[in-house]
Amino acid sequence: GTGSSILSALQDLFWLSKSKVEKQLQIISVLQWVLTFLIMGVACTLILMYILCTDCWAIAALYLAWLVFDWNTPKKGGRRSQWVRNWAIWRYFRDYFPIRLVKTHNLLTTRNYIFGYHPHGIMGLGAFCNFSTEATGVSQKFPGIRPYLATLAGNFRMPILRDYLMSGGICPVNRDSIDYILSKNGSGNAIIIVVGGAAESLNCTPGKNSVTLKNRKGFVKLALRHGADLVPVYSFGENEVYKQVIFEEGSWGRWVQKKFQKHIGFAPCIFHGRGLFSSNTWGLLPYSKPITTVVGEPITIPKIDNPSQKEVDFYHSVYVDALIKLFDKYKSKFGLPETEVLEVN
């Protein structure tokens, strides 16, 4: 009757509204991380300097004193917070794309690991969501394993940003930090290194599956020195969420990018996603494309205090082969044609 029709219409309206609210929460959760990635460090530094010039200077002075006292904490495993890692905002972040973590093999808690994450993408969104939050259930999928996502050491010189990053289990990607975690923090540690780094980000664009790996062997040497097993990780869809202007080799644009990469550690990219209010406009929000991160089979690595170049080259080749096999095994399952080839540069 009429009453049933009205009730049905109200129910439809209610669920529609709930869906819209959830979508807006997803957008907000992603936007806050994009702004954190792009401007939080600089913004917090400027705000702190401004407070020092006001009547509230004592607050800034106290924080700076704490900063000096706490300076080496990032190099010693950081200060992770399970509360922060379990924030509901990360689940909205996950569902925006959505992001998914796929486990293919068990990891022993009696071993340490170095995960090689590929590709970098513009912001490494899959790496952050999967390993610096609990949104995709990394602790349930790999019980007893503590993941540490490694990122630029310069981020940990920025006030407030450093504490925010450490709360998610993020650490500096330098030798001191990695040596500490793999040698003085027990077993069951997994350091996630985005091997291609800034150089790889310069080539990421939708429809392209390429990694910068041929001359990246430092992570293999670290694994050998500590006897940490290597684990190839590939994120299908990481390159799909932003569109980038790719400068050709030899162009002025690529020259500027490489100079920044060499002297500062990151390469400025000209990229865009969708707008805040419409997917048909340009903006800083990534496109809502699925990202599926597949964690491959661990490669057993012996402990060699001073590995030779021949030993490093051998295990590097084993790792490259394992990454290609992982890509080939799962590419068709996650939307790529069987003819797709992973380009290793």
Side-chain angles (χ1 to χ4, degrees):
T2 304
S4 298
S5 299
I6 293 173
L7 181 61
S8 177
L10 288 173
Q11 287 176 335
D12 290 342
L13 181 61
F14 171 78
W15 287 112
L16 180 63
S17 299
K18 181 179 179 181
S19 174
K20 286 183 176 179
V21 169
E22 288 186 346
K23 187 62 180 177
Q24 292 306 311
L25 288 172
Q26 291 170 12
I27 290 173
I28 291 169
S29 69
V30 175
L31 180 62
Q32 69 84 26
W33 172 247
V34 170
L35 294 178
T36 296
F37 183 90
L38 294 176
I39 66 171
M40 183 177 179
V42 174
C44 288
T45 302
L46 293 175
I47 291 170
L48 193 66
M49 292 172 63
Y50 170 75
I51 294 175
L52 279 171
C53 300
T54 69
D55 293 339
C56 298
W57 64 268
I59 296 174
L62 283 172
Y63 179 80
L64 287 174
W66 161 253
L67 193 62
V68 172
F69 174 79
D70 195 55
W71 190 254
N72 289 323
T73 298
K75 299 177 184 178
K76 297 180 179 180
R79 189 170 46 245
R80 74 173 55 221
S81 166
Q82 286 302 117
W83 175 65
V84 173
R85 287 175 61 89
N86 281 288
W87 277 353
I89 195 172
W90 306 131
R91 295 193 288 276
Y92 289 111
F93 184 100
R94 171 199 67 196
D95 294 339
Y96 173 85
F97 296 92
I99 296 174
R100 180 187 173 200
L101 180 65
V102 176
K103 168 186 173 180
T104 62
H105 291 79
N106 292 324
L107 299 181
L108 300 175
T109 57
T110 55
R111 299 286 292 173
N112 283 324
Y113 301 91
I114 293 180
F115 288 17
Y117 183 93
H118 314 269
H120 183 286
I122 295 292
M123 297 184 186
L125 294 165
F128 169 76
C129 184
N130 285 308
F131 301 113
S132 294
T133 81
E134 294 295 333
T136 56
V138 63
S139 293
Q140 287 72 45
K141 288 182 169 69
F142 301 104
I145 302 297
R146 293 181 297 276
Y148 294 86
L149 177 61
T151 188
L152 288 176
N155 289 324
F156 296 90
R157 302 186 187 102
M158 302 286 190
I160 310 300
L161 175 63
R162 66 188 293 276
D163 302 287
Y164 190 31
L165 295 178
M166 283 194 290
S167 68
I170 301 178
C171 68
V173 62
N174 58 33
R175 181 169 172 174
D176 289 343
S177 176
I178 294 172
D179 282 347
Y180 182 92
I181 292 170
L182 294 180
S183 64
K184 299 178 182 178
N185 202 41
S187 60
N189 302 292
I191 297 180
I192 297 88
I193 299 177
V194 186
V195 178
E200 190 172 86
S201 69
L202 297 178
N203 295 314
C204 69
T205 188
K208 187 172 184 178
N209 289 282
S210 66
V211 296
T212 301
L213 184 56
K214 280 183 179 178
N215 297 315
R216 299 296 175 104
K217 301 181 180 180
F219 73 106
V220 177
K221 190 173 184 178
L222 280 170
L224 286 165
R225 289 181 61 243
H226 293 284
D229 294 348
L230 288 171
V231 182
V233 179
Y234 197 85
S235 254
F236 295 90
E238 184 72 62
N239 284 347
E240 305 300 316
V241 296
Y242 279 111
K243 295 178 181 179
Q244 180 183 187
V245 176
I246 304 293
F247 293 102
E248 297 294 330
E249 290 292 339
S251 65
W252 68 268
R254 182 54 64 100
W255 180 85
V256 170
Q257 288 176 323
K258 286 188 173 181
K259 286 295 181 182
F260 266 84
Q261 178 192 337
K262 180 180 179 180
H263 297 292
I264 301 178
F266 75 93
C269 302
I270 299 178
F271 66 92
H272 74 85
R274 51 155 290 182
L276 183 60
F277 301 107
S278 171
S279 59
N280 296 321
T281 58
W282 287 12
L284 290 176
L285 278 176
Y287 294 104
S288 52
K289 304 285 186 179
I291 299 174
T292 305
T293 303
V294 184
V295 180
E297 181 178 3
I299 302 165
T300 303
I301 300 295
K303 188 177 187 304
I304 306 174
D305 291 335
N306 294 297
S308 66
Q309 189 59 49
K310 185 177 180 180
E311 289 167 327
V312 172
D313 290 344
F314 171 76
Y315 283 101
H316 181 267
S317 66
V318 171
Y319 177 86
V320 173
D321 289 342
L323 178 65
I324 293 172
K325 288 178 182 177
L326 179 71
F327 178 85
D328 289 340
K329 182 176 180 180
Y330 290 93
K331 61 186 178 183
S332 60
K333 186 175 182 180
F334 300 120
L336 297 177
E338 282 289 347
T339 54
E340 185 72 18
V341 176
L342 179 63
E343 181 183 329
V344 180
N345 299 313

